Amino acid sequence: MSTVLSGIQPSGLLHLGNYFGAIRQHIALQDEPGEHFYFIADYHSLTTLRHADKMRELVRETAITYLACGLDPEKAVLWRQSDVPEVTEIAWLLATVTGMGLLERAHSFKDKLAHHIKPTVGLFTYPILMAADILAYDANVVPVGKDQVQHVEMAQDMAGYFNNTYGDVFVRPEIRLEQTLHMQKVPGLDGQKMSKSYGNDIWMFESGKKLKKLCSQIVTDSRPPEEPKDPSELFVFDLLALFLDVEELAEWKAKVTAGGPLGPGYGHLKMRLKDAMEEYFASAREQREYFLAHPQVVDEILEVGAVKARQRARQVRDRALHACGLR
Ligand code: ADP
Ligand code: TRP
């Protein structure tokens, strides 16, 4: 049986990159046979977010986003990482068999250093906690975007180190790469990868004037509407492709390619994006309002999820402790 597991950090409002690169796939998988585990990686977020009220707000917002987008607690377990402290115990066990060299090779750590984020020990050992997240539940399928592949490979390595030392304790997790996105990454307002840390992101539930303003900030050039253009050079089409059906997308591309008196200006493309995005998330936005107005429903889902998740993690933790002679 497959046990599917993934996590997402509550370190900011979730943007289009997070939705199309991770959340959408997580939720779609709940309809496949097997068990489904999704958690809010609040321990991980402590490596960058150090404000208690903000943390509480974002954990709730992240849970609500998953529920609003269709996560069904009957099909998938949803919980807060920190409600399962067994994960940190397993992280310690893994740390004792993991060489420094493995962690030193982590791209994400090197990237954070390059962005001048203070390198705490927590940031350095982030992949160990992530491996524990996966191994604690005997997960064998881990759906992630490309940027997280190396971390899951490290979890495979750590499971191997532990099992070679103490016998078969941890299940080897396999990567399920997000493939529904027909582009490498969702671009942000400036055309680079959309990321909250680059300040180029669009919150998935943004709407109205604020969304209009953001869309108008999408970087384009100063060529006039009449000038024929190659749509593949305009990243605004990558954003439009997320929302428009193929026929409409093709029509816009044809008009831009032809140029002339009917050539659409960049403003037209941006406003079409705004409307399409608002429409796409309309029902999720409504659901979000419902969960915002019923915080006890959200609390209960997270509590029930934590009980289920913890039951599993306890068994795995006990197995691991026994294997290394601590029980
Ligand atoms: P951020 O870069 O904004 O901090 P995270 O690193 O927390 O985002 O990403 C959480 C998940 O969302 C990851 O699994 C990642 O694959 C996905 N993701 C983030 N940004 C993008 C993007 N621009 N395009 C596609 N997927 C993305
Ligand atoms: N590191 C992941 C991210 O930033 C979040 C995460 C934490 C995760 N633990 C995990 C993802 C375990 C998959 C499995 O997106």
Side-chain angles (χ1 to χ4, degrees):
M1 185 179 59
S2 64
T3 300
V4 181
L5 172 140
S6 199
I8 192 145
Q9 290 194 59
S11 40
L13 289 177
L14 296 163
H15 54 69
L16 297 180
N18 300 139
Y19 179 75
F20 290 102
I23 302 172
R24 178 176 64 169
Q25 187 197 23
H26 295 166
I27 294 171
L29 286 173
Q30 72 185 358
D31 292 318
E32 290 190 4
E35 304 176 298
H36 300 88
F37 287 93
Y38 295 111
F39 66 92
I40 301 161
D42 52 359
Y43 276 147
H44 276 114
S45 276
L46 282 178
T47 58
T48 49
L49 174 63
R50 299 205 177 90
H51 191 288
D53 289 337
K54 195 84 198 147
M55 177 68 87
R56 275 185 275 272
E57 181 196 324
L58 287 172
V59 166
R60 174 164 293 277
E61 183 65 43
T62 305
I64 289 180
T65 302
Y66 267 77
L67 294 169
C69 290
L71 182 128
D72 178 352
E74 298 288 322
K75 295 180 184 163
V77 184
L78 179 70
W79 77 101
R80 233 182 267 129
Q81 182 186 32
S82 62
D83 278 339
V84 184
E86 285 77 5
V87 161
T88 57
E89 297 182 61
I90 293 175
W92 175 254
L93 301 182
L94 296 174
T96 63
V97 293
T98 303
M100 297 277 285
L102 185 85
L103 300 179
E104 279 161 359
R105 285 192 290 278
H107 306 309
S108 67
F109 182 67
K110 293 193 235 170
D111 283 355
K112 295 252 163 67
L113 290 190
H115 284 95
H116 306 294
I117 294 171
K118 190 178 164 211
T120 58
V121 175
L123 200 57
F124 184 64
T125 60
Y126 183 112
I128 298 185
L129 182 59
M130 180 155 162
D133 288 329
I134 298 168
L135 303 179
Y137 304 95
D138 286 342
N140 51 11
V141 181
V142 185
V144 284
K146 225 171 145 211
D147 62 318
Q148 295 298 320
V149 166
Q150 191 194 31
H151 284 149
V152 187
E153 287 169 352
M154 289 179 160
Q156 294 171 337
D157 291 343
M158 289 181 221
Y161 304 148
F162 196 91
N163 290 353
N164 286 340
T165 314
Y166 296 112
D168 265 349
V169 171
F170 293 121
V171 172
R172 180 188 159 88
E174 298 303 333
I175 297 162
R176 177 147 170 181
L177 195 62
E178 151 58 49
Q179 299 206 319
T180 49
L181 193 61
H182 299 294
M183 59 191 83
Q184 278 276 332
K185 56 195 168 5
V186 175
L189 299 174
D190 54 0
Q192 284 197 63
K193 174 189 184 250
M194 184 176 287
S195 169
K196 52 200 166 247
S197 40
Y198 303 157
N200 63 356
D201 56 320
I202 306 180
W203 177 39
M204 43 186 286
F205 294 123
E206 199 61 88
S207 64
K209 275 191 185 156
K210 268 182 106 175
L211 180 59
K212 190 170 171 187
K213 189 163 171 220
L214 279 176
C215 288
S216 69
Q217 287 168 1
I218 292 170
V219 173
T220 41
D221 52 53
S222 55
R223 285 179 292 171
E226 310 81 58
E227 189 175 324
K229 302 173 194 76
D230 177 358
S232 69
E233 289 170 2
L234 304 174
F235 72 85
V236 65
F237 275 108
D238 287 338
L239 291 167
L240 282 166
L242 301 170
F243 303 106
L244 301 188
D245 59 41
V246 251
E247 289 83 22
E248 188 184 347
L249 187 68
E251 271 173 38
W252 284 102
K253 285 187 177 175
K255 284 185 192 161
V256 164
T257 309
L262 294 179
Y266 293 132
H268 285 108
L269 296 172
K270 293 174 184 178
M271 287 313 110
R272 181 65 193 109
L273 175 66
K274 172 197 174 272
D275 292 342
M277 182 180 151
E278 275 181 342
E279 196 185 318
Y280 186 94
F281 289 115
S283 86
R285 193 177 296 111
E286 242 172 63
Q287 286 294 309
R288 175 173 176 270
E289 292 302 323
Y290 167 81
F291 288 112
L292 281 176
H294 296 84
Q296 72 288 0
V297 174
V298 181
D299 289 341
E300 201 180 311
I301 291 170
L302 291 175
E303 276 162 32
V304 171
V307 170
K308 287 187 195 159
R310 202 162 179 199
Q311 233 167 6
R312 174 68 57 90
R314 274 208 185 113
Q315 289 170 6
V316 179
R317 187 263 331 252
D318 289 346
R319 203 161 75 211
L321 287 178
H322 186 262
C324 46
L326 299 185
R327 286 292 179 280

